[in-house]
Amino acid sequence: METLQNLVMGMGLAITPTNLLFAFIGSLLGTLIGVLPGIGPLATISMLLSLTVALDPVTSLIMLSAIFYGAQYGGSTTAILCNLPGEATSVITAVDGHQMALKGRAGAALATAALSSLIAGCIATALIALLAPPLARFALNFNAPEIFALMSLGLLACVIFSPGSFLKALAMALLGVLLGLVGSDVETGAQRMTLGLAELSDGLSVVSLAIGLFGLNEIISNLSRPDGRQVATQSLNRLWLSRKDFGAMLPAALRGTALGSILGVLPGGGMTLSTFASYMLERRIAKDPGEFGQGAIQGVAGPEAANNAAAQTSFIPLLTLGIPASPIMALLLGAMIIQGIQPGADVMIKRPDLFWGLIASMWVGNAMLVIINLPMIGMWVRLLRVPYDILFPAIVIFCCIGSYSIGASALDLVIMAAFTGVGTFALAVGYPLVPLLLGFVLGPLAEENLRRAMSLANGDVAVFIERPVSAAIIAVMVLLMLSFVIPMLRRARSANSEA
Amino acid sequence: MKCMIARRAFLGAALAGAIALQISPAFAQAEYPNQPIRMILGFAPGASLDAMARLMAEPMAEYLGQPVIVENRTGASGNLAAEYVARSKPDGYTILFTGSGGIVVNPATYTNLNFDPIKDFTHIGSLGNADIMMAVHPSVPAKTISELVDLTKQDPKRYKYGTSGAGNTMHVVTELFKQRTGAQIEGVHYRGQGPLTPDLLANQVQISFGTPGDFRSHIEAGALRGLFVMSPRRIAVLPDVATASEMGFPELNRRGWWGWHAARGVPQPIVDKIRAAIARGQTHPVVSEKLRAMGVELEPEAQADFIRRIEDTLKAYKDIASAANIRIQ
Amino acid sequence: MLAVKNSRDLVAGSILAIVGLTTAYLGKGLSFGTLSRMGSGFLPNTLSWIVVGLGALILLRSLFVTDDAPEWPRLRPFAFICLGPVLFALLIGPLGLMPTIMVVAAFVRCATPQKITPRTFVFPAALAAGCAFVFVYLLNLPIPLWF
């Protein structure tokens, strides 16, 4: 009952004209930067930080948060239309979303992304309102051994469920981990595989990697086809979802929401992991897994929902404990400090207006995002009809600016070009690219936490099975491996007995 | 298309403020400054350093009559930015804003820097100071430094420390603590304070050095305990936490700071003009209040004192780092 | 006498093994450490050799399993798209954003055969103006427009 009263109070704050206006500006700006590759919410929020000093604390947080979750909406647009993931979290959306676009279902794919995000945003926000403190305490149980186990599970599942050769998927995942390890080592500061370049000491840029591997690579393969790019244009006008689409989309979005809500609370790579986890889950339980990779609507709905749910629940550690679980949250923490609010366990009690106003504004913001995005679908879809000889140079330029804008580093552009080459080569000889990217994102986290866990346990390996949560994750890994190996052995045995 | 145009107009209006702040009246002036000033940072947008720089950029631009553009050149813990400014023209149009870490800690812990913190810079002036303190998990029974040291000697594997980064200020003061007190602790390094705090709250590591801002809310909630501050006096936000001197370890007193530096050889009139612009920001009612909220102790300091402080601290940190064998490549 | 049954795995396996050997070489100076204090080279070295092993397995498989030949892209789009960002990197410092966009857009467009029409000149200029508006005026990115 108290929660309800608080929510009503928060809603009263969220729908004041000023706060509505700034939620709208934030959502719009977030959508714009989400659509542009490379330009992320991190850079935008920090540039606006000094401007928001003049605003009321609640208003400023409402706007900055809206930019963040608005960017998650916008990120799917270029992923679907151009196979161009602007961030690691939209890589998996591009896989089936872009296939849908090529088959003339761009409108349906964009609508799926927007609606799944709305569903996820609303449910995850309700979770924050109802369960924030217990969820935050649950997240505190995730320390080095658990994070290591979880990241390893993510990598293992990705390799096992990857279509095509197991060996090649494994090789790409491990290569991704190796690439992720480039840069200075957290524990000793040693420069690893940096070729002596100081610019590489912070590692390879994930944006350059993703844009090169997927976005630019797509252009090369389009231009290499003898008959040019194939977009089924006849049905482009059908923008909305059919009843059948809706039936396939809704359960996937709900499952994605559940996965994203849990993984978003955890520290580190929760958001990226949740999109991949949702995709693997959907393919595993689908009636027709062969449809995945060819434009399955569940392959867009699940990951998009997971991404947006995780974006919302990643606020929980910040709002309840004052712990920023990601760089974006660290930035919002900074915004609170500038406003003279000391974030911590008591924000909910000391500043209920801030806590509940922000939560209520998340519903408002999510609704606004759908209202902003749905009418734009028609415009985006028309973008596909722009002659390709105009579209592709523009995409290349956007990618270059986006990649350059992150650190004003020419090296990032060269890395982007290099990974375009790597992607082209890998596809030519049948290596999958998704495990490479996931290894790149999760591998360094796994390594860091493995070493930390071992140091803190004085080298005792038992720490991984003595702790209940990490033991449970490891048990799931063992089951997963058995479910993969046993059918293989059985096949081998029956082949032998026949021979 | 209509919706697109409306969208742009709207964004334009929303961001007009952002642009207005950057464009100050551009009168052609013969004397400094007659072009925009670039304030170089070694950290990405989002770091607290970035927020401070952007806060200060406004009153400084107002005073100088030219835009002050904050430029993030990230990489190698801020060393790339320092190197870039050290190699820039000493004309006062390229200035480095950095914490004391970039100018006295990294040069002590990194083995292959391409700049000399004394010979390559004109040290312009400081913004203010940062307190450093030790927080422990409440399960640690020690209430004083001596009790903690005794505990660690009884069981050297029992208590672990965590730092916000190998080779940074907190790593060096942790080693300083070990060297001056004889405490026997081992530890791990994190990627910043963000991932470290949950492990500290969850009793994975028990001891950590940080700023009062890092720990304050957790100490007030009882989730951590402040053991001591390394400042000469008790600090206003945590008056219950004793100083190292009160516990009999005055040699542990250390403070960090933030300041501006340019390449060696900037003419003194230009330095004075930048210092005046800094002073304008330090006394600006809104900006100074926001900076205090971020944990900056604003304190005017003569340029000569600033330079002496840099030289003394650098020497002390070099001694600590070489005794502890901290060698970051 | 063993014959190669698929050139795809032959290329894939050998390149992978070479990459693994390269990372092993790059990581050879890093300390291996112990189990309780793993060094910075623990994982890079272990993984590098596993990757070399996987490369060898895939290479071996090319002798027994048949598969399609590699599907190489056309050289012309490959070269122009890969070199576009490199050209951008070279020009952005000395030239600034507007000229860089015009040059790179015209260059990248050559990835497909082009006739010289008014579009050849109008398009890069329009793109540069549009980018300047969105990125520099709207999003306030600190990139100089001109040299």
Side-chain angles (χ1 to χ4, degrees), chain C residues 43-58:
Chain C
L43 215 61
N45 282 303
T46 320
L47 286 184
S48 295
W49 290 109
I50 297 178
V51 166
V52 173
L54 287 173
L57 273 179
I58 292 170

Side-chain angles (χ1 to χ4, degrees), chain A residues 25 29 32 46 51 53 143 186-189 191 198 201-202 321 323 331 337-338 342-343 448 452 458 467, chain B residues 10-11 21 45-46 54 75-76 80 157 160 166 188-191 198-199 201 204 216-218 290 293 328-329:
Chain A
I25 296 176
L29 197 58
L32 175 68
S46 69
L51 281 181
V53 168
N143 303 114
V186 186
E187 202 48 51
T188 62
Q191 298 297 307
S201 69
D202 291 334
L321 298 172
I323 298 172
L331 199 53
I337 292 175
I338 288 187
Q342 183 65 47
E448 192 183 317
R452 190 173 293 146
N458 296 316
R467 298 168 57 109
Chain B
F10 203 87
L11 277 173
L21 284 173
R54 287 174 201 277
L80 290 184
K157 298 238 173 232
K160 306 282 183 191
V188 287
H189 305 289
Y190 291 78
R191 270 180 217 278
D199 270 14
L201 294 178
Q204 299 295 299
R216 183 180 149 197
S217 68
H218 305 295
K290 303 284 178 201
I328 313 283
Q329 281 149 1

Side-chain angles (χ1 to χ4, degrees), chain A residues 68 134 144 245 310 397 411 440:
Chain A
F68 168 56
D245 289 340
I397 294 290
L411 190 68
F440 180 81

Side-chain angles (χ1 to χ4, degrees), chain B residues 208-233:
Chain B
S208 178
F209 284 92
T211 64
D214 294 334
F215 301 133
R216 183 180 149 197
S217 68
H218 305 295
I219 291 173
E220 283 167 356
L224 293 178
R225 194 168 70 242
L227 202 71
F228 65 94
V229 292
M230 305 173 86
S231 308
R233 296 174 293 278

Side-chain angles (χ1 to χ4, degrees), chain B residues 3 8 25 30-31 76 109 162 186 208 230 232 246 255 263 295 318 328:
Chain B
C3 111
R8 283 191 178 160
E31 63 199 56
T109 56
E186 287 178 353
S208 178
M230 305 173 86
E246 286 174 54
R255 284 203 289 180
K318 276 191 167 158
I328 313 283

